[in-house]
Amino acid sequence: MDLKITGIRYENIREFENVELDFANGSNDNPHHISLVQMPNGTGKTTTMNLIRTTLLGKEMDQDEVRSYQPSDFDAIEGAFEIDLVSSGEPFTLRLELDYEVGDHSYRHIKPKEVGGGDMAGHFLPNELNNVITESFVDLFVFNGELTEEFIETGSDEAENALKIVNFLNRLENQKNQIQQTVQNRQEDASVTTQQGYRNIQTRLETTEEKLEELQEKRDELEDAVEDHEETIEELEERRQDILAENEEQLEKDKRLERKIQNLENELETATKDLLSTMRKPSRLDEDLNDDMEKLLENMKIMQLPKSTSQEFFTELSEGKNCICGREIHEEHEQEILDNAEKFLSEQDIGVLNSLKDNLRDTPDYESFDDTFEELQEKRDDLKQAEEERARLDLDDPNLNEKLDKIIEEIEEEEHAKEEKEDKLRRLKTNDKNEQAEFGLDWKNNIPLCKRKREQRKEELRKASGTVNFGKKADILEDIFEEFIEECLKSMKESQIEETNKKLERILGLSKVQVEDIDNSIKIEGRDDISEGQSLSIAYAYLSTLFEDSALDVPFVIDSPAVSIDYEKRAEVAPIISDLFDQLIIFVISPERESFVNELQSNDIQYTTIHKTDTPGKIEKHLDKDFFMDFQSEEERQEAA
């Protein structure tokens, strides 16, 4: 799929009475590689970006939004914005018409190669673009600056969504989400014996799904809250470290105790997990139970259980014409075979007993855990002692000691609040049957149990509507989709991280900003705070990698890409942006030229400068590079003076 922007036109839009920007390279429909448009602040860069997005999407607008584009410096009751585009070699124009008096708007689609100009009312795109031009996707190439923060912001999923959109995984997700809707439609169309019973089951299923959604929202809120507590604790710890830094001896002692506490916590966690795993074997816990299990295994061997022939064998035999000995099976023989079949175990019973025998053969011997419990208690005592010692660190200055005590109190409060939320999270998320029983959990307060209840009620609904087999096939298909999407996403993330980090290393050098993971948002390795310039560099490096091998060939339209980046970094960012797309439309202000414009790597750059005149609505346009590089707005000249 390919899309190019060859021009835009304004008619009575805010500052513009009649302005055209031509991005085509000569008379053909191929645009310049890079089109630089210099527009001083307040001239309309943000307006232009918004209008490009709106017109591409054919978005609905309310009266206030329509009238917000009405010029204030000259009279106009109507306005229009046009984008000239090319897709698969076919040019077309999208036109947004604005009626300022009524506060209304409409769209037109123009195909200049068709007879009569192909001017038709309505907003529609070529078929190949229809399913691709969504708001999320348009924000990626008519770049929405807010995405810079959202790519990195915890709790946002924009970075992962971008990966899905560019690689069409979002389409697969949409298909997957339609599977259950198809099942539901089939169920509703099916003939149900008791309509009231079907509705009751359907209502119960809806209740379960609502409860599951509620529990998952609660889980997300708790996870965010836990993360907030962790960040607050980290900030408090940094403040504590800053105070202790005034006493080198105490600071060193604090760090030593912190390392000791961390090691003890890790040892306790590992030892506890190992102990719990070991204790899951009942024979290890009780000597008498261990003896009983050994006796059971011996008895099963003596009795030759399970029997090698199952009920199913005789059931199938009774349905045949001849016995295995060759004699013909009559009706009375058939009944006798079926009666005697009840003396044998079913295949399911045989499978269970065989599994039991295998487990009994591997029964571990009884052992005492007294020494292990004692060691764990000693570690807990050591941990408590180290924590208390760390909390009691004193400085010579009473005021600093008071500050330390207050910070420690705040840390303890945050730790306590975090632990409470973690406990609630554990109850919500645990899939351990023992924990579920211990906490008295059911489907109304535990996510895994709620999911099971949902599956049970789905099955009940399918039975009621006669769509059991159809529903099972739908579940299998849904699992296939989910596994495929998950594996693809995992592979794509690994490649995306690797290539993005290579670009970041080239751009930021010694800053050592590296992507650690893409878990919905981009996680930066070992960094809690990054500058605005670093955020932009990450976003550009991420986008560059994202579209590098993509089947989507679209322009990249961006507003002020270098304004927040340090001068020395601009020279590294410029080549990254140059290679980003086959067509770049970059709106800049004059302060961005330094260390950026001359570093753009292309033999095909168009330089356009637009600025206001003393006549309202009249705009001057210049296509000269020297004018572009020397231009200063009136405001900039005044500031320089």
Side-chain angles (χ1 to χ4, degrees):
M1 185 220 85
D2 70 291
L3 181 70
K4 295 290 181 287
I5 298 176
T6 56
I8 56 177
R9 279 178 296 282
Y10 315 75
E11 296 173 18
N12 299 330
I13 300 281
R14 290 187 180 166
E15 293 83 1
F16 304 126
E17 184 178 43
N18 197 330
V19 177
E20 179 175 356
L21 296 179
D22 186 3
F23 305 128
N25 191 350
S27 58
N28 57 34
D29 293 324
N30 291 319
H32 291 282
H33 174 208
I34 300 177
S35 296
L36 290 170
V37 182
Q38 183 170 218
M39 300 171 75
N41 284 327
T43 314
K45 295 191 305 297
T46 304
T47 298
T48 304
M49 296 287 284
N50 288 337
L51 284 169
I52 292 173
R53 291 190 199 101
T54 298
T55 308
L56 279 173
L57 292 164
K59 288 176 71 173
E60 290 301 310
M61 304 167 67
D62 59 29
Q63 290 183 357
D64 289 341
E65 187 177 0
V66 169
R67 289 182 175 132
S68 71
Y69 290 109
Q70 186 170 11
S72 56
D73 295 338
F74 59 94
D75 293 331
I77 59 172
E78 292 180 336
F81 182 78
E82 288 187 354
I83 311 179
D84 293 332
L85 302 146
V86 178
S87 179
S88 298
E90 291 295 319
F92 65 99
T93 299
L94 294 176
R95 179 179 172 88
L96 167 63
E97 297 182 338
L98 304 168
D99 186 329
Y100 298 133
E101 280 194 324
V102 180
D104 200 4
H105 70 290
S106 60
Y107 290 96
R108 303 196 71 79
H109 180 102
I110 304 162
K111 282 190 173 182
K113 287 189 177 181
E114 291 191 1
V115 178
D119 189 344
M120 295 168 283
H123 181 280
F124 51 92
L125 297 164
N127 289 333
E128 65 169 0
L129 299 176
N130 261 330
N131 296 323
V132 179
I133 300 297
T134 63
E135 187 165 0
S136 297
F137 181 54
V138 169
D139 278 349
L140 291 178
F141 71 87
V142 184
F143 190 63
N144 184 343
E146 292 178 4
L147 286 178
T148 302
E149 290 183 6
E150 290 178 3
F151 275 170
I152 304 167
E153 183 183 327
T154 302
S156 172
D157 56 3
E158 294 300 336
E160 190 166 298
N161 282 342
L163 200 55
K164 291 176 181 177
I165 290 165
V166 172
N167 292 284
F168 299 111
L169 287 181
N170 61 321
R171 295 195 192 181
L172 285 178
E173 279 192 333
N174 292 337
Q175 293 294 321
K176 179 179 80 72
N177 295 335
Q178 289 175 19
I179 292 171
Q180 288 305 322
Q181 184 60 50
T182 304
V183 174
Q184 189 175 330
N185 293 341
R186 176 72 70 92
Q187 288 168 346
E188 290 172 353
D189 292 341
S191 56
V192 183
T193 309
T194 58
Q195 194 67 34
Q196 185 59 45
Y198 175 82
R199 281 199 295 271
N200 288 340
I201 298 169
Q202 191 175 40
T203 301
R204 289 200 295 272
L205 174 59
E206 288 169 359
T207 302
T208 311
E209 288 176 335
E210 287 169 5
K211 175 56 70 174
L212 179 59
E213 189 175 341
E214 178 189 320
L215 293 176
Q216 288 171 332
E217 285 176 1
K218 190 175 180 181
R219 174 201 61 198
D220 295 342
E221 288 171 6
L222 285 168
E223 285 176 344
D224 289 343
V226 166
E227 194 165 321
D228 289 342
H229 285 306
E230 287 173 347
E231 288 176 2
T232 304
I233 291 167
E234 195 172 328
E235 289 170 7
L236 290 167
E237 283 288 358
E238 285 176 4
R239 282 167 53 194
R240 184 173 175 276
Q241 293 287 326
D242 290 341
I243 294 173
L244 286 172
E246 298 183 23
N247 187 315
E248 192 173 334
E249 183 182 342
Q250 294 293 68
L251 179 61
E252 183 56 39
K253 187 176 180 181
D254 180 74
K255 289 181 177 178
R256 177 173 53 78
L257 286 169
E258 186 180 10
R259 287 193 297 270
K260 183 178 179 180
I261 289 167
Q262 187 63 54
N263 290 335
L264 284 168
E265 285 177 343
N266 291 339
E267 288 172 14
L268 269 170
E269 185 178 353
T270 303
T272 304
K273 284 181 179 177
D274 291 343
L275 181 61
L276 286 172
S277 177
T278 303
M279 291 173 67
R280 292 186 190 280
K281 300 285 187 180
S283 61
R284 290 185 187 274
L285 302 176
D286 188 279
E287 196 167 5
D288 292 335
L289 182 59
N290 183 64
D291 293 340
D292 289 342
M293 293 176 79
E294 287 180 358
K295 287 175 186 175
L296 175 60
L297 177 61
E298 289 303 316
N299 288 333
M300 289 182 77
K301 290 177 181 176
I302 293 167
M303 298 175 67
Q304 295 184 342
L305 289 174
K307 295 189 180 295
S308 58
T309 310
S310 67
Q311 285 180 358
E312 282 77 11
F313 169 78
F314 294 104
T315 303
E316 291 171 6
L317 180 64
S318 68
E319 294 171 354
K321 292 183 179 180
N322 297 305
C323 178
I324 57 172
C325 64
R327 288 184 298 171
E328 187 178 352
I329 297 176
H330 298 292
E331 190 175 339
E332 64 273 17
H333 300 143
E334 180 184 338
Q335 189 57 49
E336 191 169 351
I337 291 170
L338 289 172
D339 291 342
N340 286 322
E342 294 178 6
K343 298 175 184 178
F344 293 84
L345 297 169
S346 70
E347 286 182 0
Q348 186 175 357
D349 294 333
I350 289 173
V352 171
L353 288 170
N354 275 326
S355 177
L356 178 60
K357 279 176 73 175
D358 288 340
N359 286 328
L360 286 170
R361 288 191 189 98
D362 298 331
T363 300
D365 293 332
Y366 165 76
E367 60 181 275
S368 172
F369 291 96
D370 292 344
D371 292 343
T372 308
F373 289 140
E374 192 173 332
E375 287 174 11
L376 281 174
Q377 188 56 50
E378 286 175 2
K379 287 186 188 297
R380 289 194 192 96
D381 293 341
D382 289 345
L383 176 62
K384 186 177 180 182
Q385 184 179 344
E387 288 174 337
E388 288 175 352
E389 189 179 349
R390 187 168 183 247
R392 287 197 306 268
L393 285 175
D394 278 340
L395 298 172
D396 295 334
D397 188 334
N399 291 328
L400 290 179
N401 275 329
E402 188 178 341
K403 287 181 181 179
L404 271 181
D405 291 340
K406 188 176 180 182
I407 289 172
I408 289 166
E409 188 180 329
E410 289 178 24
I411 289 173
E412 287 173 352
E413 288 174 0
E414 289 291 332
E415 289 280 9
H416 180 68
K418 181 169 85 88
E419 285 169 8
E420 281 186 344
K421 291 179 176 67
E422 284 175 334
D423 184 61
K424 290 178 181 177
L425 260 177
R426 182 181 171 191
R427 292 167 189 258
L428 265 177
K429 294 167 65 174
T430 183
N431 203 18
D432 187 295
K433 291 182 180 179
N434 294 325
E435 285 189 341
Q436 289 169 346
E438 179 188 346
F439 296 138
L441 303 175
D442 57 30
W443 68 272
K444 293 181 180 178
N445 50 28
N446 176 261
I447 291 172
L449 289 176
C450 192
K451 286 181 177 179
R452 278 178 224 155
K453 178 62 72 175
R454 179 186 61 178
E455 293 309 309
Q456 288 172 8
R457 290 183 170 171
K458 274 186 183 178
E459 192 66 17
E460 289 173 13
L461 195 68
R462 289 168 182 175
K463 286 178 181 176
S465 61
T467 58
V468 174
N469 289 333
F470 184 77
K472 285 180 178 176
K473 290 174 183 176
D475 287 344
I476 292 169
L477 184 59
E478 193 171 12
D479 288 342
I480 291 170
F481 267 104
E482 194 163 329
E483 187 176 348
F484 179 79
I485 292 168
E486 189 176 320
E487 288 301 314
C488 284
L489 199 56
K490 181 182 176 183
S491 174
M492 289 170 185
K493 283 180 180 179
E494 290 172 358
S495 174
Q496 182 76 15
I497 290 169
E498 183 181 352
E499 293 303 316
T500 300
N501 282 338
K502 287 179 184 176
K503 291 183 174 68
L504 285 174
E505 193 169 346
R506 197 163 83 236
I507 298 170
L508 300 174
L510 296 176
S511 298
K512 295 292 183 185
V513 175
Q514 292 279 276
V515 175
E516 181 181 6
D517 193 12
I518 304 167
D519 183 11
N520 289 331
S521 59
I522 296 171
K523 292 192 172 181
I524 306 302
E525 185 178 336
R527 299 289 290 268
D528 296 318
D529 60 323
I530 52 176
S531 67
E532 187 177 351
Q534 288 171 333
S535 294
L536 280 169
S537 299
I538 291 165
Y540 298 150
Y542 188 81
L543 281 169
S544 173
T545 304
L546 199 63
F547 282 93
E548 212 157 35
D549 299 315
S550 169
L552 301 169
D553 183 9
V554 291
F556 188 59
V557 187
I558 189 167
D559 176 13
S560 299
V563 72
S564 302
I565 301 174
D566 295 338
Y567 288 114
E568 63 270 19
K569 304 300 181 189
R570 290 181 182 182
E572 299 294 340
V573 171
I576 294 289
I577 293 180
S578 303
D579 294 337
L580 201 57
F581 292 85
D582 289 338
Q583 182 189 9
L584 286 152
I585 300 172
I586 305 175
F587 293 94
V588 298
I589 54 177
S590 57
E592 288 183 272
R593 295 186 305 238
E594 186 176 347
S595 301
F596 178 74
V597 169
N598 284 334
E599 299 301 327
L600 291 168
Q601 295 182 354
S602 176
N603 296 320
D604 181 17
I605 301 179
Q606 175 180 260
Y607 300 86
T608 303
T609 304
I610 288 179
H611 62 92
K612 295 179 182 179
T613 66
D614 293 335
T615 305
K618 299 298 180 184
I619 299 291
E620 281 195 7
K621 181 175 72 172
H622 302 267
L623 298 177
D624 181 68
K625 180 180 177 181
D626 290 337
F627 185 93
F628 181 98
M629 297 304 293
D630 295 335
F631 173 79
Q632 276 191 311
S633 68
E634 184 63 34
E635 291 82 358
E636 290 164 350
R637 282 197 296 272
Q638 289 175 359
E639 286 179 10

